[in-house]
Amino acid sequence: MNDTLSLLMNHRSIRKYLDKPVSEEQLRAVVAAGQMASTSSNIQAYSIIAVTDQEKKRRLAGLAGNQAYIIECPVFLVWCADLYRLKKSTEAHSGDKETYEDSTENFIVATVDAALAAQNAAIAAESLGLGIVYIGGVRNSIADFSEALELPDLVYPV
């Protein structure tokens, strides 16, 4: 077994964090690793929001089912499927033609791209000795969560 396989096989969801910040260098490395994930047609139809403000984390924790991990973690990364960027980047070229950013295909592409990027980032974080846990409760109140993050149309947290 090599180091990569060992890291993957030893993954654990971590729900208790040290009272220690994540450095800017660590955060940049984690996000950069996420950006290197496979992506459909190189669209990278996702955005990442790093939440460090305690009050905002408290609000998001409440919306996600009162999950204390959101409040206690030093940085809460919200992985969003982002079709707004796709729409904006193609508007100048589409003219009067129908666009498909709101199609089922692109919904799946954006959701999968966000999940793949998040998984790459999770592995990178673990390789740096950081603990991670995915928060599925984000999807319990997607509209409220999106409003709290001030997300534009066609962007939703995954």
Side-chain angles (χ1 to χ4, degrees):
M1 189 168 313
N2 63 39
D3 291 345
T4 303
L5 288 173
S6 181
L7 180 66
L8 291 168
M9 300 302 246
N10 287 299
H11 164 75
R12 301 289 180 272
S13 291
I14 304 299
R15 293 178 173 88
K16 193 77 173 152
Y17 304 100
L18 300 175
D19 187 19
K20 197 169 128 179
V22 172
S23 73
E24 283 296 316
E25 182 181 356
Q26 288 172 315
L27 184 57
R28 275 195 301 275
V30 166
V31 169
Q35 291 172 318
M36 295 307 295
S38 295
T39 176
S40 181
S41 302
N42 200 29
I43 292 174
Q44 294 184 323
Y46 60 87
S47 293
I48 310 152
I49 301 170
V51 182
T52 55
D53 178 76
Q54 280 304 114
E55 195 51 45
K56 182 155 283 205
K57 287 194 299 182
R58 200 174 327 284
R59 180 171 180 208
L60 295 174
L63 293 171
N66 296 314
Q67 295 191 43
Y69 331 121
I70 295 173
I71 299 167
E72 295 166 0
C73 69
V75 61
F76 178 50
L77 296 180
V78 183
W79 297 86
C80 298
D82 188 345
L83 293 168
Y84 177 81
R85 283 186 325 136
L86 178 61
K87 179 180 181 178
K88 284 301 184 187
S89 65
T90 58
E91 273 180 347
H93 308 287
S94 60
D96 293 337
K97 295 178 191 166
E98 185 178 1
T99 59
Y100 299 97
E101 68 278 344
D102 61 349
S103 70
T104 301
E105 170 66 13
N106 283 326
F107 169 81
I108 292 169
V109 163
T111 302
V112 170
D113 275 8
L116 290 171
Q119 183 62 20
N120 254 34
I123 295 165
E126 290 178 337
S127 79
L128 295 172
L130 302 172
I132 71 101
V133 65
Y134 287 104
I135 306 293
V138 165
R139 295 184 308 275
N140 293 346
S141 302
I142 278 192
D144 293 333
F145 217 88
S146 297
E147 183 181 314
L149 292 171
E150 300 177 27
L151 301 179
D153 287 342
L154 301 173
V155 179
Y156 51 93
V158 176

